[in-house]
């Protein structure tokens, strides 16, 4: 979903066009998707103590944010973690993430079949990158077979016209009618097979913008957003088809915003398996943005 009331949200801007890359005399440019699960991470930049610290741009597709970072059109972005292995000259901002320990709810495989081993073709949400790699790992590594893959626009009914299962991410995934489809939560599947949590996205910064980015307190922004969950729930309940209680539960029980030891082990294993199954060319060790 997109924010529907830009004037209410201060310096929030859509990601459109090619932006001026001149880094002198301007605020750091920051990109993030506008999915509900990013709201606590960007609330401070819109409403809170850091609203004058950055120029914030949003787009519904996390993959689009990754492209903007790779092209140098923004200095830092909340991007699918798989992009760390694909984009050169970037650093990971430590400690802050969008992840889940078991059930994420917003990254799912929907099907009318009762068993994933019956799946022959999977439609993949074109707005996803980390989750596309994850679902391929689940089939190749854990289910030990490979269906046919088809990249599609994220429209469930259209996807299932030509496929047995559909990968859907973000807010639309939470609105899938569970009484009409069998819905497999990818974080749950990952946890069942590995015993670990899963990191879907992290802030990543361009190495040529390090000094400018170090001044941004991403962990502090996260904490401020989490302290204002009720306000976030009230705002989003008017924009997506979920109650305030559902939103609050999702952001406090399903989503994890801090990378602890278990989450980092899950991230490391994910990268190893992505390399094993040739979803990235080679595994790059984790390199973090140091604090000022």
């Amino acid at each position: 979903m997109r924010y529907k009331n830009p004037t209410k949200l201060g310096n929030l801007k859509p990601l459109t066009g090619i932006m001026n890359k001149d880094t002198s005399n301007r605020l750091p440019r920051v990109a993030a998707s506008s999915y509900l699960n990013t709201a606590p991470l960007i609330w401070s930049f819109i409403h809170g103590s850091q609203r004058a610290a950055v120029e914030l741009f949003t787009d519904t597709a996390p993959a689009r944010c990754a492209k903007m970072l790779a092209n140098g059109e923004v200095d830092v972005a909340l991007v699918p973690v798989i992009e760390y292995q694909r984009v050169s000259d970037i650093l990971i901002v430590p400690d802050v993430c969008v992840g889940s320990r078991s059930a994420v709810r917003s990254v799912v495989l929907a099907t009318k079949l009762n068993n994933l081993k019956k799946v022959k073709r999977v439609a993949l949400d074109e707005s996803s990158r980390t989750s596309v790699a994850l679902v391929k790992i689940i089939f190749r590594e854990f289910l030990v077979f490979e269906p046919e893959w088809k990249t599609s626009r994220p429209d469930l009914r259209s996807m299932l016209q030509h496929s047995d299962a559909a990968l859907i991410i973000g807010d639309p995934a939470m609105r899938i009618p569970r009484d009409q489809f069998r819905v497999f939560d990818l974080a749950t599947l990952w946890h069942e097979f590995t015993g670990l949590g899963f990191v879907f996205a992290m802030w990543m910064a361009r190495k040529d913008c390090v000094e400018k980015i170090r001044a941004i307190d991403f962990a502090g922004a996260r904490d401020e957003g989490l302290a204002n969950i009720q306000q976030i729930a009230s705002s989003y309940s008017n924009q997506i088809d979920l109650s305030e209680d559902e939103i609050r539960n999702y952001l406090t029980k399903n989503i994890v915003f801090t990378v602890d030891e278990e989450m980092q082990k899950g991230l490391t294993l994910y990268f190893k398996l992505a390399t094993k199954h040739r979803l990235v060319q080679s595994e790059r060790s984790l390199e973090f943005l140091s604090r000022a």
Side-chain angles (χ1 to χ4, degrees), residues 46-100:
I46 304 167
H47 299 294
S49 62
Q50 297 193 63
R51 60 185 177 276
V54 305
E55 189 174 9
L56 181 65
F57 299 82
T58 66
D59 191 274
T60 51
R64 169 72 170 149
C65 296
K67 183 177 181 181
M68 300 294 284
L69 184 66
N71 289 344
E73 296 168 18
V74 293
D75 308 314
V76 60
L78 185 65
V79 299
V81 293
I82 195 68
E83 293 307 295
Y84 178 73
Q85 301 292 347
R86 296 171 174 167
V87 179
S88 61
D89 297 321
I90 59 173
L91 300 170
I92 299 173
V93 175
D95 303 332
V96 183
C97 75
V98 175
S100 178

Side-chain angles (χ1 to χ4, degrees), residues 4-45:
K4 295 185 179 179
N5 188 355
T7 59
K8 179 180 177 183
L9 293 165
N11 64 344
L12 187 63
K13 300 179 181 181
L15 272 169
T16 54
I18 301 298
M19 295 175 284
N20 186 343
K21 298 180 185 180
D22 179 16
T23 61
S24 60
N25 301 317
R26 66 163 173 78
L27 293 173
R29 284 176 168 151
V30 176
S33 79
S34 54
Y35 288 143
L36 172 59
N37 58 28
T38 69
L41 300 185
I42 63 176
W43 189 94
S44 180
F45 302 130

Side-chain angles (χ1 to χ4, degrees), residues 190-217:
W190 173 260
H191 187 265
E192 288 175 351
F193 288 121
T194 69
L196 299 170
F198 191 84
V199 176
F200 288 95
M202 294 185 76
W203 291 111
M204 296 184 197
R206 292 180 58 84
K207 287 184 177 180
D208 56 7
C209 301
V210 163
E211 294 307 318
K212 187 183 288 283
I213 298 306
R214 279 199 183 111
I216 305 171
D217 185 0

